[in-house]
Amino acid sequence: MGPIPIAHYMAEANARYYASRDPLGAAGDFVTAPEISQMFGELIGLWLADIWQRARQPENVCYVELGPGRGTLARDALRAARRGGLVPEVHFVETSPALTALQRAAHPGAQWHHDLSDLPADRPLLVVANEFLDALPVRQLVRTAAGWRERMVGLDGSGAFVPVVGTRPMDAAVPAGFADAAEGSILETSPAAATVVQDVAGRLAAQGGAALFIDYGYSQPQLGSTLQAVRAHRKVDPFAGPGEADLTALVDFATLAGIAEAAGGRWLGTREQGAWLKALGIDARAEALTRGAPHAEEAIRAEALRLTAPQEMGSLFKVMGLAAPGWPDGAGFVRVSSDGPAAGTVTPQPD
Ligand code: SAH
């Protein structure tokens, strides 16, 4: 078998990786925000209830989560949303049998989909995706002396996987601004993430609703490979043991915002996770939780810091908000339109 594109390699490796295990938590390979604290999902649920209320509470709205992991975010978000009067039908897009089983135990009334194609098409959608886009395959192009080529994965003499350079010229796929990049430069794109965001934005335009994409990523286009593999909370070689480690790449939020707008969606803003959670009132929520459990004050404070501190998840992680054209601004985003006031902070409700 000859070399295969990085994107095929990443897709195959992650399909194998997620199919067979629950990778989340201290005993697994990595920890995500909803597994750190209930506050994360609660604030997302309040954000959804808030924008839904200000959109005049359309009926039959669906909560749609892409890659819901253990179902923890959905559990916390739906509990908080219910306090705001929002009780949506629940739809999960998930390919992993192992994680679907965990989600089914936590959300017996939900409906599952393998991809976005058979989601309801006749009603507003409230879409949430945390650490989903980063797991989708990236394509990499590398600049050689002879021009741009696709970065591939092949086998070396000892049977180990190694990155190799493809033979077919790929110059036509490179945006003009990067065409003359230095030899060795890598340009990464994610056609799969682009397709998901395009699909969601098109549905928002046609059906109404709003979406939050949360992931670690960058706000301006950049060069360089961001492909990484994590196993047991440590970075490992992405080409060693495919299917045994979580392969991710940083998300290119600027490109995705442009794709969302081109598909008819309204981009509400992209903000660092820490600033967004603070604007939504995470400190007030932490205080409220502490009043109910004074012995846990230290732990709650540490959880909030882990989600918001710049040196933890606060800066690298970004939150991108989208909505249907007729829907209001979303809370917590710096105002991007000139018509009308910015949406305010959502008020955490007492338990
Ligand atoms: N959102 C959860 C889990 C993040 S891990 C959390 O924050 O804890 C990535 C999730 O996306 C897993 O549920 C994984 O099974 C799912 N996933 C990965 N690739 C997918 C694909 N191509 N289609 C659907 N789900 C996918």
Short mmCIF file of all heavy atoms in Angstrom, two decimals, residues 56-103:
data_model
loop_
_atom_site.label_atom_id
_atom_site.label_comp_id
_atom_site.label_asym_id
_atom_site.label_seq_id
_atom_site.Cartn_x
_atom_site.Cartn_y
_atom_site.Cartn_z
N ARG A 56 -38.00 35.11 21.06
CA ARG A 56 -39.46 34.92 21.27
C ARG A 56 -39.84 33.45 21.41
O ARG A 56 -40.91 33.03 20.96
CB ARG A 56 -40.27 35.59 20.17
CG ARG A 56 -40.06 37.09 20.11
CD ARG A 56 -40.71 37.67 18.86
NE ARG A 56 -40.22 39.04 18.65
CZ ARG A 56 -40.73 40.11 19.24
NH1 ARG A 56 -41.71 39.98 20.08
NH2 ARG A 56 -40.22 41.30 19.00
N GLN A 57 -38.96 32.67 21.97
CA GLN A 57 -39.26 31.30 22.38
C GLN A 57 -39.97 30.46 21.32
O GLN A 57 -41.07 29.96 21.57
CB GLN A 57 -40.12 31.33 23.67
CG GLN A 57 -39.62 32.33 24.69
CD GLN A 57 -40.22 32.12 26.06
OE1 GLN A 57 -41.16 31.35 26.23
NE2 GLN A 57 -39.65 32.76 27.06
N PRO A 58 -39.36 30.27 20.16
CA PRO A 58 -40.00 29.42 19.16
C PRO A 58 -40.24 28.00 19.70
O PRO A 58 -39.43 27.49 20.48
CB PRO A 58 -39.00 29.40 18.00
CG PRO A 58 -37.70 29.83 18.60
CD PRO A 58 -38.03 30.74 19.73
N GLU A 59 -41.35 27.42 19.29
CA GLU A 59 -41.68 26.07 19.77
C GLU A 59 -40.90 25.01 18.99
O GLU A 59 -40.32 25.29 17.95
CB GLU A 59 -43.18 25.82 19.57
CG GLU A 59 -44.01 26.51 20.63
CD GLU A 59 -45.48 26.31 20.40
OE1 GLU A 59 -45.85 25.33 19.71
OE2 GLU A 59 -46.26 27.14 20.88
N ASN A 60 -40.91 23.80 19.50
CA ASN A 60 -40.31 22.64 18.81
C ASN A 60 -38.83 22.79 18.54
O ASN A 60 -38.31 22.22 17.59
CB ASN A 60 -41.02 22.38 17.47
CG ASN A 60 -42.47 22.05 17.67
OD1 ASN A 60 -42.82 21.45 18.68
ND2 ASN A 60 -43.30 22.45 16.75
N VAL A 61 -38.15 23.60 19.33
CA VAL A 61 -36.72 23.79 19.12
C VAL A 61 -35.98 22.52 19.57
O VAL A 61 -36.44 21.81 20.47
CB VAL A 61 -36.25 25.05 19.88
CG1 VAL A 61 -36.35 24.86 21.37
CG2 VAL A 61 -34.89 25.49 19.47
N CYS A 62 -34.90 22.18 18.88
CA CYS A 62 -34.12 20.98 19.22
C CYS A 62 -32.75 21.37 19.78
O CYS A 62 -32.09 22.26 19.24
CB CYS A 62 -33.86 20.12 17.99
SG CYS A 62 -35.33 19.43 17.26
N TYR A 63 -32.32 20.68 20.82
CA TYR A 63 -30.93 20.76 21.28
C TYR A 63 -30.16 19.71 20.49
O TYR A 63 -30.54 18.53 20.48
CB TYR A 63 -30.86 20.45 22.77
CG TYR A 63 -29.46 20.36 23.34
CD1 TYR A 63 -28.81 21.49 23.84
CD2 TYR A 63 -28.78 19.14 23.39
CE1 TYR A 63 -27.53 21.41 24.37
CE2 TYR A 63 -27.50 19.04 23.91
CZ TYR A 63 -26.87 20.19 24.40
OH TYR A 63 -25.61 20.10 24.93
N VAL A 64 -29.10 20.15 19.81
CA VAL A 64 -28.29 19.24 19.00
C VAL A 64 -26.86 19.33 19.50
O VAL A 64 -26.27 20.40 19.51
CB VAL A 64 -28.31 19.64 17.51
CG1 VAL A 64 -27.37 18.74 16.72
CG2 VAL A 64 -29.73 19.56 16.95
N GLU A 65 -26.29 18.21 19.96
CA GLU A 65 -24.88 18.26 20.35
C GLU A 65 -24.06 17.35 19.43
O GLU A 65 -24.44 16.21 19.15
CB GLU A 65 -24.69 17.87 21.82
CG GLU A 65 -23.26 18.20 22.26
CD GLU A 65 -22.98 18.03 23.74
OE1 GLU A 65 -23.94 18.12 24.56
OE2 GLU A 65 -21.81 17.78 24.08
N LEU A 66 -22.95 17.89 18.96
CA LEU A 66 -22.04 17.15 18.08
C LEU A 66 -20.92 16.57 18.94
O LEU A 66 -20.24 17.31 19.65
CB LEU A 66 -21.45 18.08 17.01
CG LEU A 66 -22.45 19.00 16.28
CD1 LEU A 66 -21.71 19.88 15.26
CD2 LEU A 66 -23.54 18.19 15.62
N GLY A 67 -20.73 15.28 18.90
CA GLY A 67 -19.66 14.64 19.69
C GLY A 67 -19.84 14.85 21.18
O GLY A 67 -19.00 15.46 21.83
N PRO A 68 -20.96 14.38 21.76
CA PRO A 68 -21.28 14.71 23.16
C PRO A 68 -20.50 13.94 24.23
O PRO A 68 -20.80 14.12 25.41
CB PRO A 68 -22.78 14.41 23.27
CG PRO A 68 -23.15 13.61 22.09
CD PRO A 68 -22.04 13.62 21.10
N GLY A 69 -19.53 13.14 23.85
CA GLY A 69 -18.69 12.48 24.86
C GLY A 69 -19.50 11.61 25.80
O GLY A 69 -20.23 10.71 25.37
N ARG A 70 -19.41 11.89 27.11
CA ARG A 70 -20.18 11.11 28.09
C ARG A 70 -21.59 11.64 28.30
O ARG A 70 -22.33 11.11 29.12
CB ARG A 70 -19.46 11.18 29.44
CG ARG A 70 -18.17 10.41 29.48
CD ARG A 70 -17.54 10.63 30.85
NE ARG A 70 -16.38 9.79 31.01
CZ ARG A 70 -15.53 9.92 32.02
NH1 ARG A 70 -15.71 10.88 32.92
NH2 ARG A 70 -14.49 9.12 32.12
N GLY A 71 -21.92 12.75 27.62
CA GLY A 71 -23.25 13.36 27.81
C GLY A 71 -23.29 14.32 28.97
O GLY A 71 -24.36 14.79 29.36
N THR A 72 -22.13 14.64 29.53
CA THR A 72 -22.07 15.49 30.73
C THR A 72 -22.47 16.93 30.43
O THR A 72 -23.23 17.54 31.18
CB THR A 72 -20.64 15.46 31.30
OG1 THR A 72 -20.25 14.10 31.48
CG2 THR A 72 -20.58 16.18 32.63
N LEU A 73 -21.94 17.48 29.33
CA LEU A 73 -22.28 18.86 28.97
C LEU A 73 -23.79 18.98 28.76
O LEU A 73 -24.44 19.90 29.25
CB LEU A 73 -21.52 19.26 27.70
CG LEU A 73 -21.45 20.74 27.32
CD1 LEU A 73 -20.38 20.94 26.23
CD2 LEU A 73 -22.75 21.29 26.83
N ALA A 74 -24.36 18.02 28.02
CA ALA A 74 -25.80 18.05 27.75
C ALA A 74 -26.59 17.97 29.05
O ALA A 74 -27.58 18.69 29.23
CB ALA A 74 -26.18 16.89 26.82
N ARG A 75 -26.15 17.14 29.97
CA ARG A 75 -26.87 17.00 31.25
C ARG A 75 -26.90 18.35 31.98
O ARG A 75 -27.96 18.82 32.42
CB ARG A 75 -26.16 15.95 32.11
CG ARG A 75 -26.85 15.64 33.43
CD ARG A 75 -25.91 14.94 34.38
NE ARG A 75 -24.81 15.82 34.77
CZ ARG A 75 -23.62 15.42 35.23
NH1 ARG A 75 -23.36 14.13 35.36
NH2 ARG A 75 -22.71 16.30 35.58
N ASP A 76 -25.75 19.00 32.10
CA ASP A 76 -25.67 20.27 32.83
C ASP A 76 -26.39 21.39 32.07
O ASP A 76 -27.07 22.22 32.67
CB ASP A 76 -24.21 20.65 33.07
CG ASP A 76 -23.50 19.64 33.98
OD1 ASP A 76 -24.19 19.01 34.80
OD2 ASP A 76 -22.27 19.48 33.86
N ALA A 77 -26.22 21.41 30.74
CA ALA A 77 -26.83 22.48 29.93
C ALA A 77 -28.35 22.36 29.95
O ALA A 77 -29.06 23.36 30.12
CB ALA A 77 -26.31 22.41 28.50
N LEU A 78 -28.87 21.14 29.81
CA LEU A 78 -30.32 20.97 29.74
C LEU A 78 -30.97 21.25 31.10
O LEU A 78 -32.08 21.79 31.17
CB LEU A 78 -30.66 19.56 29.24
CG LEU A 78 -30.29 19.32 27.77
CD1 LEU A 78 -30.35 17.85 27.41
CD2 LEU A 78 -31.20 20.14 26.84
N ARG A 79 -30.25 20.92 32.18
CA ARG A 79 -30.77 21.23 33.52
C ARG A 79 -30.89 22.75 33.70
O ARG A 79 -31.90 23.26 34.18
CB ARG A 79 -29.85 20.62 34.58
CG ARG A 79 -30.38 20.75 36.01
CD ARG A 79 -29.43 20.14 37.03
NE ARG A 79 -28.14 20.82 37.04
CZ ARG A 79 -26.99 20.26 36.68
NH1 ARG A 79 -26.95 19.00 36.29
NH2 ARG A 79 -25.87 20.96 36.71
N ALA A 80 -29.84 23.48 33.28
CA ALA A 80 -29.87 24.93 33.42
C ALA A 80 -30.90 25.55 32.47
O ALA A 80 -31.61 26.49 32.83
CB ALA A 80 -28.48 25.51 33.14
N ALA A 81 -31.00 25.01 31.25
CA ALA A 81 -31.94 25.56 30.27
C ALA A 81 -33.38 25.41 30.75
O ALA A 81 -34.21 26.30 30.55
CB ALA A 81 -31.75 24.86 28.92
N ARG A 82 -33.65 24.29 31.40
CA ARG A 82 -35.00 24.03 31.90
C ARG A 82 -35.44 25.12 32.86
O ARG A 82 -36.59 25.54 32.88
CB ARG A 82 -35.03 22.66 32.59
CG ARG A 82 -36.40 22.04 32.70
CD ARG A 82 -36.35 20.67 33.37
NE ARG A 82 -35.40 19.77 32.74
CZ ARG A 82 -34.44 19.10 33.39
NH1 ARG A 82 -34.32 19.22 34.71
NH2 ARG A 82 -33.61 18.32 32.75
N ARG A 83 -34.48 25.61 33.68
CA ARG A 83 -34.82 26.69 34.61
C ARG A 83 -35.15 27.98 33.87
O ARG A 83 -35.79 28.86 34.43
CB ARG A 83 -33.66 26.90 35.61
CG ARG A 83 -33.43 25.69 36.50
CD ARG A 83 -32.76 26.05 37.80
NE ARG A 83 -31.41 26.57 37.62
CZ ARG A 83 -30.32 25.81 37.64
NH1 ARG A 83 -30.41 24.52 37.86
NH2 ARG A 83 -29.14 26.36 37.48
N GLY A 84 -34.71 28.08 32.61
CA GLY A 84 -35.06 29.24 31.79
C GLY A 84 -36.27 28.94 30.90
O GLY A 84 -36.53 29.69 29.96
N GLY A 85 -36.96 27.83 31.17
CA GLY A 85 -38.17 27.52 30.43
C GLY A 85 -37.94 26.79 29.12
O GLY A 85 -38.87 26.53 28.37
N LEU A 86 -36.68 26.44 28.84
CA LEU A 86 -36.34 25.78 27.58
C LEU A 86 -36.21 24.27 27.81
O LEU A 86 -35.32 23.82 28.54
CB LEU A 86 -35.02 26.36 27.05
CG LEU A 86 -34.37 25.64 25.85
CD1 LEU A 86 -35.27 25.67 24.64
CD2 LEU A 86 -33.01 26.30 25.54
N VAL A 87 -37.13 23.50 27.22
CA VAL A 87 -37.10 22.04 27.36
C VAL A 87 -37.14 21.44 25.95
O VAL A 87 -38.19 21.04 25.46
CB VAL A 87 -38.28 21.52 28.21
CG1 VAL A 87 -38.12 20.02 28.49
CG2 VAL A 87 -38.37 22.27 29.53
N PRO A 88 -36.00 21.38 25.28
CA PRO A 88 -35.98 20.97 23.87
C PRO A 88 -35.91 19.46 23.70
O PRO A 88 -35.55 18.72 24.61
CB PRO A 88 -34.69 21.61 23.35
CG PRO A 88 -33.78 21.62 24.56
CD PRO A 88 -34.67 21.76 25.77
N GLU A 89 -36.27 19.00 22.49
CA GLU A 89 -35.99 17.63 22.07
C GLU A 89 -34.47 17.51 21.96
O GLU A 89 -33.81 18.48 21.61
CB GLU A 89 -36.63 17.45 20.69
CG GLU A 89 -36.99 16.05 20.33
CD GLU A 89 -37.74 16.04 18.99
OE1 GLU A 89 -38.98 16.22 19.02
OE2 GLU A 89 -37.09 15.88 17.95
N VAL A 90 -33.92 16.33 22.23
CA VAL A 90 -32.46 16.19 22.27
C VAL A 90 -31.96 15.29 21.14
O VAL A 90 -32.45 14.16 20.98
CB VAL A 90 -32.01 15.62 23.63
CG1 VAL A 90 -30.50 15.41 23.67
CG2 VAL A 90 -32.45 16.55 24.76
N HIS A 91 -31.01 15.79 20.36
CA HIS A 91 -30.41 15.03 19.26
C HIS A 91 -28.89 15.03 19.41
O HIS A 91 -28.29 16.08 19.61
CB HIS A 91 -30.78 15.65 17.91
CG HIS A 91 -32.23 15.51 17.58
ND1 HIS A 91 -32.70 14.53 16.74
CD2 HIS A 91 -33.32 16.21 18.01
CE1 HIS A 91 -34.02 14.63 16.65
NE2 HIS A 91 -34.42 15.64 17.40
N PHE A 92 -28.30 13.85 19.30
CA PHE A 92 -26.84 13.72 19.40
C PHE A 92 -26.26 13.21 18.08
O PHE A 92 -26.79 12.25 17.51
CB PHE A 92 -26.46 12.71 20.49
CG PHE A 92 -26.75 13.19 21.90
CD1 PHE A 92 -27.12 12.27 22.88
CD2 PHE A 92 -26.63 14.52 22.26
CE1 PHE A 92 -27.37 12.69 24.19
CE2 PHE A 92 -26.88 14.95 23.57
CZ PHE A 92 -27.25 14.02 24.54
N VAL A 93 -25.18 13.83 17.64
CA VAL A 93 -24.43 13.33 16.48
C VAL A 93 -23.18 12.65 17.03
O VAL A 93 -22.32 13.31 17.63
CB VAL A 93 -24.07 14.47 15.51
CG1 VAL A 93 -23.20 13.92 14.38
CG2 VAL A 93 -25.33 15.12 14.96
N GLU A 94 -23.10 11.35 16.86
CA GLU A 94 -22.01 10.58 17.48
C GLU A 94 -21.73 9.34 16.63
O GLU A 94 -22.67 8.70 16.16
CB GLU A 94 -22.42 10.18 18.91
CG GLU A 94 -21.42 9.33 19.65
CD GLU A 94 -20.07 10.03 19.83
OE1 GLU A 94 -19.99 10.98 20.62
OE2 GLU A 94 -19.11 9.61 19.16
N THR A 95 -20.45 9.01 16.47
CA THR A 95 -20.11 7.81 15.70
C THR A 95 -19.60 6.68 16.59
O THR A 95 -19.54 5.53 16.14
CB THR A 95 -19.03 8.14 14.65
OG1 THR A 95 -18.05 8.97 15.26
CG2 THR A 95 -19.63 8.86 13.46
N SER A 96 -19.19 6.99 17.81
CA SER A 96 -18.55 5.98 18.65
C SER A 96 -19.59 5.11 19.38
O SER A 96 -20.39 5.62 20.17
CB SER A 96 -17.67 6.67 19.70
OG SER A 96 -17.44 5.81 20.79
N PRO A 97 -19.58 3.80 19.14
CA PRO A 97 -20.52 2.93 19.87
C PRO A 97 -20.28 2.99 21.38
O PRO A 97 -21.24 2.98 22.16
CB PRO A 97 -20.20 1.52 19.33
CG PRO A 97 -19.51 1.75 18.01
CD PRO A 97 -18.79 3.05 18.13
N ALA A 98 -19.03 3.07 21.80
CA ALA A 98 -18.72 3.07 23.24
C ALA A 98 -19.30 4.32 23.90
O ALA A 98 -19.92 4.25 24.98
CB ALA A 98 -17.21 3.02 23.46
N LEU A 99 -19.12 5.49 23.27
CA LEU A 99 -19.64 6.72 23.86
C LEU A 99 -21.16 6.83 23.71
O LEU A 99 -21.83 7.35 24.59
CB LEU A 99 -18.92 7.94 23.28
CG LEU A 99 -17.46 8.04 23.75
CD1 LEU A 99 -16.70 9.11 22.98
CD2 LEU A 99 -17.39 8.34 25.25
N THR A 100 -21.71 6.29 22.62
CA THR A 100 -23.17 6.29 22.46
C THR A 100 -23.81 5.53 23.62
O THR A 100 -24.85 5.95 24.16
CB THR A 100 -23.58 5.64 21.12
OG1 THR A 100 -23.01 6.42 20.07
CG2 THR A 100 -25.09 5.62 20.94
N ALA A 101 -23.19 4.44 24.05
CA ALA A 101 -23.76 3.66 25.16
C ALA A 101 -23.79 4.50 26.44
O ALA A 101 -24.78 4.49 27.17
CB ALA A 101 -22.94 2.39 25.36
N LEU A 102 -22.73 5.25 26.70
CA LEU A 102 -22.71 6.12 27.89
C LEU A 102 -23.76 7.22 27.77
O LEU A 102 -24.44 7.56 28.73
CB LEU A 102 -21.33 6.76 28.06
CG LEU A 102 -20.18 5.84 28.48
CD1 LEU A 102 -18.88 6.63 28.57
CD2 LEU A 102 -20.49 5.20 29.83
N GLN A 103 -23.87 7.79 26.56
CA GLN A 103 -24.86 8.87 26.34
C GLN A 103 -26.28 8.34 26.52
O GLN A 103 -27.14 9.02 27.08
CB GLN A 103 -24.69 9.45 24.92
CG GLN A 103 -23.38 10.20 24.72
CD GLN A 103 -22.94 10.23 23.26
OE1 GLN A 103 -23.73 10.02 22.35
NE2 GLN A 103 -21.65 10.48 23.03
#
